[in-house]
Amino acid sequence: MATCGLIFIATFSLVYLFFSDSYWVAYVVAHSNRDLATFYKIAALWSGQEGSLLFWSFLLAIYVFSALFAYRNKNGELMPYVGVVLAGVQIFFLTLNNFVASPFKVLATPGANGALEIFTRADGNGLTPLLQYPEMVIHPPNLYSGYTGFTIPFAFALGALLARYPGEKWIHLTRKWTMIAWCFQTAGVLLGAHWAYAVLGWGGYWGWDPVENASLLPWLTGTAFLHSVMMQEKRGMMKVWNVWLVFLTFMLCILGTTLTRSGIVSSVHAFAQSSIGNWFVGFLALILVVCFVAYVKNRDYLKSENQLDAIVSRESSFLFNNLILLVSCVAVLSGTLFPVFSEWLSGSRISVGAPFFNKVNIPIGLLLLFLTGVGPLLAWRKTSADSLKRNFGWPSLFSLAMGVIVFALGFHEFYSLICLVLCVFVATTILMEFYRGARVIRARSGASFASSAVDLTMRNTRRYGGYIVHMGMVLIFVGLAGAAFNKDVQKEMQIGSTIQIGRYNLLLQSFESKPEKNYTAERMVVEVMRDNKPLMMLYPERRFFQTNQESGTMVAIYSTLRDDLYVVYAGQSPETQTPVIHAYLNPLVKWIWLGGAIVVLGTIVTLLPNRRSVLVFSTAEQPAKALPISAGLTPSATLREGHD
Amino acid sequence: MIRRRTVRRRGAFFCTVALSMAAALPLLPVPAGAQQSDRAREFGKKVRCMCGGCNDTASTCFHVGGAFSGPCETAKATLKTIDQRLLKGDSEDLILQSFVQQYGPIVYVEPPHSGFGQIAWAMPVVYLVVGSGLVALIISRWRKRPIHAMPVASGVSAEMIARARQRVARETED
């Protein structure tokens, strides 16, 4: 508690130094200025190496305190080990905060008597323009909460192994912590993608940049873990695998921050190159050794208990789900590090850019999407042919029919077509599950279908929350499928001239330069017409920040479920000095953000406790209501275990 | 029979003409200006921006660099070179090779399908094959395992495990 309190004081002191414009502190000078909006003075906390590490310690302290407090009087044999692991991780980050990358260094020069004298600058250098965007105030905290949150399941897994604690206890204890960390990680990754989309102005949301990849890696292994733990909970299987998945997820969190901070790989998101990477490499090596030794010494406690009854079963689907997620993770990791390895081994650096990652990951993603639909509807132990027909007959037919229709309508892009067919397939399987369960509840209670579906969800939040998460993933894939049909056009624009993209016509009404408090904006005033009717005005602009002599893009986006009209002011032509407009038409992008929100919502639902069944006594005149709860339920709703 | 042959001949003739016209399309004079720039930007997606600060292509580089720039100066210069060389009539292959000579293989946006670059392409396939093999092995071992045979560590009896399980269930009840 004392550690947590002291880290709180340190963090809020730094925030106070930003708000009080204390330009005698080097970190404040480097990342703020007097005209910086109050909102962004909070974001300045994590905008540099030192502050972001302090912020990491701050979030870690919250997690550690919460975990130790929640189990203060429970699990007496396990918690000392967990506490030691958590303390070990925290000591590492506090060492960095205090001795390697302190954000509290002051500006000082040698005085007349040789002693150092503190001096104050009139103003700071300002925050980098890329970070002066509202999402930058919420994206890093989400991502960091994900990274730091995986420390808790890691500590419990390692603690349980060191304590030779039998059973699935650590999994029960850490399920919610893992879900919380995963939820933050998901939100962080998607907010980062949205930030890249809205700020960088290149028309895309995911460029397979090393830092983006670093955030995706623990998400992939974390997702694999969330699925494979069910094997251990239900069947006592995959114990070794689960422990190593948690270890790997935590190590990938550390590796991610190593890549970001060491300068090993080049990235627009990376912090300045520094020697701090060596500390992370050392820490990573230490974790690996500790985990390996703990495993070797205690592996007898991790043997599986059950056998596999049939290949077509939930168990197999989880194995393949894990395989696909891990292959994707290793492929992204090796692709990210390949330039470094190629330089070491062959002497010339070979770059691995977005086309490579797309070619590798699109088929993997589609396979995963297929398993998202199939896995939850397979029964544990063994799935009968009848069950397969009942669960997958209609979804298969419906999705194939949709595929044929869409193909006939001119949708010929191979991967996008497959993706849409699979999206329809998975969505149908999920909706059928809700429909079957809600129909039974509605028949019994007489409530509306929507409230029956809510009731159904609340009776088994883990299972139906999982379905909601899957539905969110389907929507994300729908959005990704649209990328194959992106269009863009670039043109020098005179006042009054127009440019056409898709069904939109853009008319440049005026072009203005406007000084603001912290920057000067060059802004295009663009009228958007759809089908020759005025629709709205867009104001794409560039901001020039005098303090640090840098500029930033402000993209104007008109977003609908069908497509995004994405308009960028791309500067002035060097020859003619006329403004250049770069317009993109990106189909279905909104579905990605919508899907992300649904994934987060579904994860929150899984964290809610199940609503307990209430016995209802009825009179003889109401025989229907006196039936036991399982009466009339279809086999799919009662006999088969779902996504829980 | 004769009519069917005539129809076939006509079909073959039209196909040949259509294909020839399609093949000749790139040879037709292209209006200067926008269309050439579009082609340059399309080709620029195959060339990495060599500014050293990003992983983008010359066409999609949009990180901020300098006052009011769109793509950074390096990417702009690369696009300008591409545009000029395309206007001169140089083939895309030739232009790409000249960039490779200037910067090395790092200028490719994806690893080349030759030399050391092949390893990058082979890796995901190897992962998938090895992973699938491992899954197959695990499934086969699980299938052969006798039901409810629970290997336990020395000193840990089945009764102890059962007791631990009960305690776990009790302590983790919501």
Side-chain angles (χ1 to χ4, degrees):
Chain A
M1 187 182 275
T3 314
C4 182
L6 290 171
I7 294 172
F8 264 63
I9 291 171
T11 309
F12 285 107
S13 299
L14 189 56
V15 173
Y16 172 76
L17 290 171
F18 274 111
F19 278 96
S20 59
D21 292 322
S22 306
Y23 297 116
W24 45 273
V25 177
Y27 188 74
V28 178
V29 171
H31 301 284
S32 181
N33 66 310
R34 291 186 188 280
D35 288 336
L36 186 67
T38 312
F39 195 49
Y40 296 120
K41 285 192 174 172
I42 300 169
L45 172 67
W46 50 77
S47 61
Q49 178 91 276
E50 298 86 353
S52 66
L53 283 171
L54 179 62
F55 187 57
W56 189 296
S57 292
F58 171 74
L59 293 172
L60 185 61
I62 294 174
Y63 275 115
V64 171
F65 174 74
S66 309
L68 294 180
F69 186 78
Y71 303 117
R72 64 193 180 285
N73 295 324
K74 295 175 188 169
N75 319 310
E77 291 165 38
L78 177 62
M79 288 314 289
Y81 291 89
V82 174
V84 167
V85 178
L86 289 172
V89 177
Q90 203 154 35
I91 285 169
F92 170 73
F93 281 98
L94 289 175
T95 305
L96 296 181
N97 296 146
N98 284 291
F99 306 112
V100 184
S102 169
F104 295 106
K105 284 179 187 160
V106 294
L107 297 174
T109 50
N113 56 359
L116 287 177
E117 285 178 5
I118 294 172
F119 70 93
T120 304
R121 286 259 302 265
D123 203 353
N125 298 337
L127 186 64
T128 179
L130 287 174
L131 303 182
Q132 295 192 38
Y133 192 78
E135 260 158 335
M136 261 299 137
V137 184
I138 49 173
H139 154 61
N142 269 284
L143 202 57
Y144 280 29
S145 299
Y147 282 141
T148 51
F150 282 118
T151 311
I152 303 295
F154 166 75
F156 272 88
L158 186 57
L161 196 58
L162 290 169
R164 300 164 81 89
Y165 208 69
E168 289 75 50
K169 174 86 177 204
W170 70 272
I171 283 183
H172 289 294
L173 290 174
T174 58
R175 192 186 78 84
K176 286 186 179 173
W177 297 94
T178 314
M179 293 297 295
I180 290 168
W182 186 86
C183 186
F184 277 124
Q185 190 79 13
T186 309
V189 169
L190 285 167
L191 284 169
H194 192 266
W195 167 80
Y197 185 61
V199 170
L200 296 183
W202 60 284
Y205 38 80
W206 193 264
W208 296 103
D209 179 274
V211 175
E212 291 173 349
N213 295 350
S215 69
L216 187 67
L217 297 173
W219 185 88
L220 290 168
T221 51
T223 309
F225 173 70
L226 283 174
H227 288 85
S228 66
V229 287
M230 284 181 256
M231 291 275 277
Q232 190 169 342
E233 285 178 294
K234 298 283 177 191
R235 304 290 318 274
M237 299 163 107
M238 293 176 82
K239 291 178 181 177
V240 175
W241 182 246
N242 285 328
V243 162
W244 274 103
L245 264 185
V246 172
F247 291 168
L248 187 64
T249 304
F250 180 69
M251 284 189 260
L252 286 171
C253 290
I254 302 296
L255 179 72
T257 199
T258 308
L259 292 179
T260 317
R261 293 161 198 279
S262 64
I264 293 173
V265 287
S266 59
S267 164
V268 285
H269 304 281
F271 292 95
Q273 189 164 357
S274 76
S275 60
I276 205 165
N278 298 335
W279 285 80
F280 280 101
V281 172
F283 184 52
L284 206 53
L286 180 68
I287 297 167
L288 188 63
V289 169
V290 170
C291 291
F292 188 72
V293 171
Y295 168 71
V296 169
K297 288 192 77 173
N298 303 301
R299 64 185 184 279
D300 284 353
Y301 284 80
L302 297 174
K303 286 189 176 164
S304 294
E305 296 162 21
N306 277 303
Q307 65 141 208
L308 190 72
D309 300 286
I311 290 170
V312 184
S313 61
R314 180 79 68 88
E315 290 88 331
S316 296
S317 83
F318 278 135
L319 274 177
F320 282 106
N321 152 298
N322 269 242
L323 167 71
I324 301 299
L325 284 165
L326 262 287
V327 166
S328 174
C329 176
V330 182
V332 172
L333 179 62
S334 58
T336 307
L337 295 175
F338 191 78
V340 181
F341 290 136
S342 66
E343 196 168 21
W344 284 349
L345 298 171
S346 72
S348 62
R349 201 175 176 94
I350 295 176
S351 74
V352 179
F356 171 84
F357 289 107
N358 284 334
K359 281 177 190 166
V360 169
N361 283 290
I362 288 174
I364 291 175
L366 292 178
L367 210 51
L368 200 60
L369 181 61
F370 173 70
L371 285 175
T372 307
V374 171
L377 298 187
L378 294 179
W380 289 103
R381 292 178 181 276
K382 191 178 180 181
T383 306
S384 67
D386 276 353
S387 166
L388 286 175
K389 215 161 92 179
R390 188 176 59 240
N391 287 321
F392 301 116
W394 283 112
S396 303
L397 279 175
F398 188 54
S399 54
L400 285 174
M402 285 296 285
V404 170
I405 292 168
V406 171
F407 185 81
L409 290 172
F411 200 93
H412 294 164
E413 186 66 34
F414 177 73
Y415 279 132
S416 291
L417 182 65
I418 299 287
C419 184
L420 282 184
V421 167
L422 287 174
C423 284
V424 173
F425 172 75
V426 181
T428 315
T429 58
I430 294 169
L431 291 174
M432 278 175 64
E433 278 294 286
F434 273 97
Y435 174 73
R436 283 173 184 152
R439 190 181 58 180
V440 173
I441 291 178
R442 189 174 68 155
R444 288 178 44 76
S445 65
S448 71
F449 195 83
S451 66
S452 300
V454 172
D455 191 19
L456 177 77
T457 306
M458 297 313 292
R459 283 176 192 217
N460 192 342
T461 54
R462 199 169 164 189
R463 174 179 172 177
Y464 289 96
Y467 284 143
I468 294 171
V469 172
H470 282 186
M471 188 56 106
M473 292 308 298
V474 167
L475 298 189
I476 290 175
F477 271 92
V478 169
L480 298 178
F485 303 94
N486 287 356
K487 291 178 192 165
D488 72 300
V489 58
Q490 188 171 314
K491 191 181 172 187
E492 289 179 22
M493 300 281 280
Q494 303 285 353
I495 306 291
S497 62
T498 61
I499 183 173
Q500 191 186 356
I501 183 160
R503 59 197 169 131
Y504 298 104
N505 262 305
L506 310 179
L507 166 71
L508 180 64
Q509 285 201 341
S510 64
F511 176 67
E512 60 194 29
S513 181
K514 197 176 169 190
E516 299 281 353
K517 191 181 172 190
N518 196 28
Y519 58 86
T520 304
E522 277 194 6
R523 181 179 299 158
M524 290 176 125
V525 178
V526 179
E527 185 178 3
V528 181
M529 285 169 286
R530 189 166 59 196
D531 306 326
N532 293 323
K533 288 176 192 156
L535 181 69
M536 66 177 309
M537 303 298 293
L538 288 178
Y539 307 94
E541 66 180 46
R542 281 299 179 93
R543 291 176 179 178
F544 181 67
F545 295 81
Q546 287 87 354
T547 335
N548 49 19
Q549 298 288 301
E550 287 182 18
S551 62
T553 316
M554 289 305 281
V555 182
I557 305 172
Y558 174 62
S559 185
T560 64
L561 283 176
R562 179 172 159 176
D563 49 37
D564 275 16
L565 175 64
Y566 182 102
V567 184
V568 183
Y569 163 51
Q572 285 170 291
S573 161
E575 290 88 19
T576 58
Q577 299 303 308
T578 46
V580 179
I581 197 166
H582 197 160
Y584 299 77
L585 194 65
N586 300 334
L588 306 174
V589 173
K590 201 168 191 172
W591 291 76
I592 297 174
W593 320 129
L594 194 65
I598 290 175
V599 168
V600 171
L601 173 75
T603 315
I604 293 168
V605 169
T606 61
L607 290 168
L608 299 174
N610 286 339
R611 188 186 290 168
R612 291 181 191 280
S613 300
V614 179
L615 284 176
V616 178
F617 295 97
S618 60
T619 59
E621 287 77 28
Q622 294 168 300
K625 287 186 182 175
L627 287 169
I629 191 73
S630 61
L633 287 178
T634 60
S636 78
T638 55
L639 301 179
R640 196 192 52 247
E641 291 185 69
H643 191 279
D644 54 16
Chain B
M1 188 68 174
I2 292 166
R3 174 154 176 77
R4 196 177 293 167
R5 220 179 266 166
T6 315
V7 169
R8 265 193 208 153
R9 272 186 201 153
R10 270 187 200 162
F13 173 75
F14 282 123
C15 280
T16 314
V17 170
L19 282 172
S20 312
M21 284 172 74
L25 270 179
L27 303 176
L28 293 174
V30 180
Q35 202 168 342
Q36 280 291 0
S37 282
D38 286 349
R39 206 178 145 201
R41 278 192 295 113
E42 201 51 45
F43 178 66
K45 289 176 186 168
K46 295 177 188 167
V47 180
R48 191 168 184 257
C49 169
M50 294 307 299
C51 69
C54 71
N55 272 338
D56 300 327
T57 68
S59 288
T60 56
C61 170
F62 232 86
H63 76 272
V64 180
F68 287 86
S69 61
C72 70
E73 293 304 321
T74 313
K76 275 183 185 171
T78 307
L79 280 177
K80 197 173 174 184
T81 307
I82 294 170
D83 202 17
Q84 286 168 347
R85 295 197 61 175
L86 284 172
L87 274 170
K88 243 172 66 183
D90 287 354
S91 71
E92 292 188 355
D93 273 350
L94 192 68
I95 300 169
L96 193 59
Q97 283 314 310
S98 69
F99 280 121
V100 174
Q101 275 178 1
Q102 191 179 348
Y103 297 110
I106 196 170
V107 81
Y108 291 117
V109 288
E110 57 180 29
H113 289 273
S114 59
F116 200 79
Q118 282 177 314
I119 296 174
W121 291 104
M123 282 190 307
V125 180
V126 171
Y127 301 147
L128 195 63
V129 170
V130 171
S132 303
L134 279 174
V135 168
L137 186 73
I138 290 167
I139 287 178
S140 112
R141 284 182 63 181
W142 282 355
R143 294 271 289 158
K144 285 176 191 161
R145 189 184 290 167
I147 300 172
H148 300 309
M150 190 169 68
V152 288
S154 57
V156 181
S157 67
E159 192 190 347
M160 281 170 73
I161 298 253
R163 224 182 313 133
R165 281 241 162 81
Q166 279 177 356
R167 207 184 70 206
V168 166
R170 209 170 45 242
E171 289 179 2
T172 54
E173 254 184 11
D174 283 322

